[in-house]
Amino acid sequence: MSGNYYFVIVGHRDNPLFEMEFSGSGNREARKDDHRHLNQFIAHAALDLVDEQMLRTPNMYLKIVDKFNEWFVSAFVTASRQRFIMLHDIKNEDGIKNFFTEMYETYIKQVMNPFYELNSPIKSAAFEK
């Protein structure tokens, strides 16, 4: 996957549990950028569209739910109704679906941890990989 990406996990109270920026041309290390607030705004603005889509379809992967300028917004909803939001500037549906699936597996492992409290920020090295 090449291009720029912003990934966020949003909890039940519309609070960000985990966020990460990365570029696809390399590894998934967090990227510091001046557009961080804009990315947060776009992701938060798309939450209503994600909520509407998840009521219409039984699928967990909602594909592209919104577009803002050059950014596409893809979404994935977990069984517990946590929302995974991905902002990306290049269409790559198969790669994004695979990424969401991997992150969902990592998220399930995190939630199964008895020391993790639901809807609290995630601070785990497994999510940074």
Side-chain angles (χ1 to χ4, degrees):
M1 295 192 310
S2 62
N4 296 312
Y5 300 88
Y6 171 76
F7 172 71
V8 63
I9 299 175
V10 181
H12 290 131
R13 292 176 244 136
D14 293 344
N15 56 321
L17 304 180
F18 176 79
E19 61 182 335
M20 173 175 65
E21 291 183 58
F22 58 94
S23 104
S25 58
N27 54 15
R28 294 182 183 153
E29 289 185 25
R31 208 174 49 101
K32 303 296 180 207
D33 201 1
D34 295 335
H35 301 289
R36 185 173 198 88
H37 294 292
L38 178 62
N39 291 343
Q40 291 171 341
F41 176 77
I42 296 168
H44 192 76
L47 286 176
D48 289 335
L49 296 170
V50 172
D51 290 343
E52 287 176 16
Q53 283 272 1
M54 75 180 184
L55 293 176
R56 288 189 215 148
T57 180
N59 300 331
M60 297 175 87
Y61 177 54
L62 303 178
K63 299 184 181 180
I64 295 176
V65 294
D66 196 13
K67 183 174 183 340
F68 181 83
N69 293 341
E70 76 273 4
W71 292 101
F72 297 100
V73 182
S74 294
F76 182 93
V77 180
T78 68
S80 63
R81 300 288 189 201
Q82 305 287 3
R83 287 140 316 165
F84 293 6
I85 308 288
M86 169 80 78
L87 272 64
H88 49 99
D89 55 358
I90 296 173
K91 283 188 178 181
N92 181 7
E93 295 211 8
D94 291 334
I96 290 171
K97 183 177 181 179
N98 292 337
F99 177 81
F100 278 145
T101 305
E102 285 180 33
M103 291 306 286
Y104 185 47
E105 290 174 8
T106 307
Y107 176 75
I108 289 172
K109 290 175 186 173
Q110 176 72 24
V111 172
M112 290 174 57
N113 182 346
F115 299 110
Y116 176 71
E117 183 180 330
L118 274 169
N119 279 320
S120 63
I122 297 172
K123 296 176 177 87
S124 172
F127 279 86
E128 300 288 333
K129 293 180 183 179

